[in-house]
Amino acid sequence: MYNKVFMVGEVCSPVHTKQIESTGKTVGNFRIKTSDKNTQYHTVNVYDTTAEMVKDYSEGTLVFLEGKMCTRSYLDRNGDKKWVTTVNAHRCHNICIEQCTVGECCDEKPETKPETKTQTNQESITEEDMPF
């Protein structure tokens, strides 16, 4: 069985990070919302370098996540068993969509593509040029 999740959503809570004193590792969590017909909210946990990377994300940031779903149970104050499902993300990338210029808010710098010659005159393609 596989446990792999890819998710695109909007950050809808402040990103909370802290450093664990005993190990020196950074952990963080935040919530994102996704919607198709109904809006759903997901808690996301991040660790180490991913936690360092997302600590500056603000509410409204569109992100792409890759990780796994984790479900755990706990007892609340009344002794009732509660279940919670989270996404443990090992990749998290900011997605730029028209709210910024390329490279301004993205995690990676924009790629420069070499110029390629493209054929703009569709009439110059004959049936013999088609591969099928």
Side-chain angles (χ1 to χ4, degrees):
M1 299 294 282
Y2 296 101
N3 182 356
K4 185 89 156 177
V5 64
F6 297 96
M7 194 174 285
V8 175
E10 185 179 313
V11 175
C12 61
S13 74
V15 178
H16 299 287
T17 60
K18 66 179 178 178
Q19 193 166 19
I20 306 299
E21 290 181 26
S22 60
T23 62
K25 295 189 177 202
T26 304
V27 297
N29 66 0
F30 58 97
R31 293 180 56 81
I32 66 168
K33 64 180 179 178
T34 58
S35 60
D36 44 14
K37 293 181 182 180
N38 300 316
T39 300
Q40 295 185 29
Y41 296 88
H42 311 274
T43 301
V44 179
N45 298 317
V46 288
Y47 305 93
D48 303 322
T49 56
T50 306
E52 288 291 331
M53 185 175 69
V54 304
K55 69 181 177 184
D56 296 326
Y57 287 0
S58 59
E59 292 183 43
T61 301
L62 192 62
V63 294
F64 166 78
L65 305 173
E66 181 180 347
K68 64 181 185 174
M69 299 295 286
C70 295
T71 302
R72 63 179 174 84
S73 65
Y74 66 95
L75 295 177
D76 69 4
R77 293 179 185 174
N78 299 326
D80 297 326
K81 192 174 194 175
K82 302 286 182 176
W83 293 89
V84 64
T85 300
T86 60
V87 176
N88 285 355
H90 61 269
R91 283 191 189 170
C92 187
H93 297 283
N94 183 351
I95 301 175
C96 292
I97 298 186
E98 296 181 14
Q99 76 251 25
C100 62
T101 58
V102 175
E104 181 180 299
C105 67
C106 294
D107 295 331
E108 299 175 8
K109 297 194 184 221
E111 269 184 40
T112 55
K113 295 182 181 178
E115 288 187 30
T116 58
K117 292 184 179 180
T118 58
Q119 190 167 3
T120 57
N121 187 356
Q122 294 293 329
E123 294 173 346
S124 63
I125 299 175
T126 65
E127 285 186 30
E128 294 172 358
D129 295 329
M130 302 303 280
F132 45 88

